[in-house]
Amino acid sequence: MYVLALDESGTHTGAPVLLLAGLAVHEADVRRLEHALHGVLARHLTPLGLDPDKHELHAKELKTPSRGRPARPPYPATPPSEWLTVPSAVRLAILTDVYTAITTLQPTDPGYPPRVFAAVVDRSHHRYGPVKAADAYAYEHVLHRFDEMLGRINTTAPTHQRGVVIHDRRQQHERRIQEQATIWQRKGVGLAALLQVPLFIDSRASRLIQAADLVAYALWRHYQPTSDDKYSTGLWPLVDTNDDGELSGVIHITPKFRQCTCPPCRSRTGS
Ligand SMILES: [Zn+2]
């Protein structure tokens, strides 16, 4: 079984793209990945007398920790980030090392490697300006691409592999995704290899959900107008690739895909 953890960026008004991204890890490697990520935190935080278990891997917080906010009804107060007390050099070293931990994880069975999935929806596209439309479209793409990989694996796998999708419980749009998931489940939408999707888990309790946040952040930086590949370069080789050599695990939905130089678009246009 594969577990695909997903995370989203760009749901706010004015965001140039909506991005749904994540990491699919075989069940035999979930604990190993979590252990590797925990190891990075322990190596950097324990010497400072800090508890790695009290630190969530959240890329934006590692870059710029939040100072917290007083309550503004209907929104409750948010406490300052646990990362505020950690020196910037340590936070950035952790960020670099966790990406290395993800990109160098050796699968228990080489036939079941970790795989990156994403849908990047250009919000300037007239159909996907509203977040609800972009979101539904991104989910449908990612789930189909995950299912497609499982189908490909199952043509030769000695035991039938299925997939489960997990998502951060604390994201604001949980209800919207749940409503969408109910529709998918009812319709079946041809997701043959997937179990009920998605399951909502508190990101504080799952380093795998946190890994999805890191993947989403890295790709998000790539798709900004000032494209930054610092963290995405190592992730592209992990993108699921189909028999035609296309980076089929990531789709960039943009009217300008023929001119786009992102690795998934280039793999499709052959440029
Ligand atoms: Zn592209």
Side-chain angles (χ1 to χ4, degrees), residues 223 252 254 257 260-266:
Y223 284 99
H252 181 199
T254 168
F257 82 97
C260 184
T261 57
C262 82
C265 286
R266 270 189 295 151

Side-chain angles (χ1 to χ4, degrees), residues 6 32 34 61 71 103 121 143-145 174 228 248 261:
L6 288 176
R32 294 179 59 241
E34 295 195 326
E61 293 294 322
T103 54
V121 184
L143 297 184
H144 272 99
R145 276 148 210 286
E174 180 189 352
D228 167 12
S248 49
T261 57

Side-chain angles (χ1 to χ4, degrees), residues 180-249:
Q180 188 64 44
T182 309
I183 297 167
W184 284 323
Q185 283 158 18
R186 208 167 41 233
K187 290 201 298 191
V189 293
L191 302 170
L194 301 194
L195 301 176
Q196 192 186 46
V197 289
L199 300 175
F200 290 89
I201 292 172
D202 191 324
S203 62
R204 284 171 294 198
S206 167
R207 294 277 185 222
L208 185 54
I209 296 265
Q210 295 169 33
D213 170 273
L214 295 164
V215 169
Y217 179 76
L219 297 186
W220 169 255
R221 304 272 299 198
H222 174 84
Y223 284 99
Q224 292 312 291
T226 50
S227 183
D228 167 12
D229 290 331
K230 186 170 166 55
Y231 302 117
S232 59
T233 304
L235 292 174
W236 295 117
L238 266 60
V239 174
D240 185 47
T241 307
N242 68 14
D243 296 337
D244 296 327
E246 292 172 351
L247 299 185
S248 49

Side-chain angles (χ1 to χ4, degrees), residues 37-64:
L37 295 175
H38 182 84
V40 171
L41 289 173
R43 197 164 65 241
H44 288 282
L45 296 179
T46 309
L48 301 177
L50 297 168
D51 181 356
D53 286 330
K54 294 204 166 73
H55 288 75
E56 186 177 342
L57 287 167
H58 186 25
K60 276 190 199 135
E61 293 294 322
L62 279 158
K63 286 284 271 192
T64 318

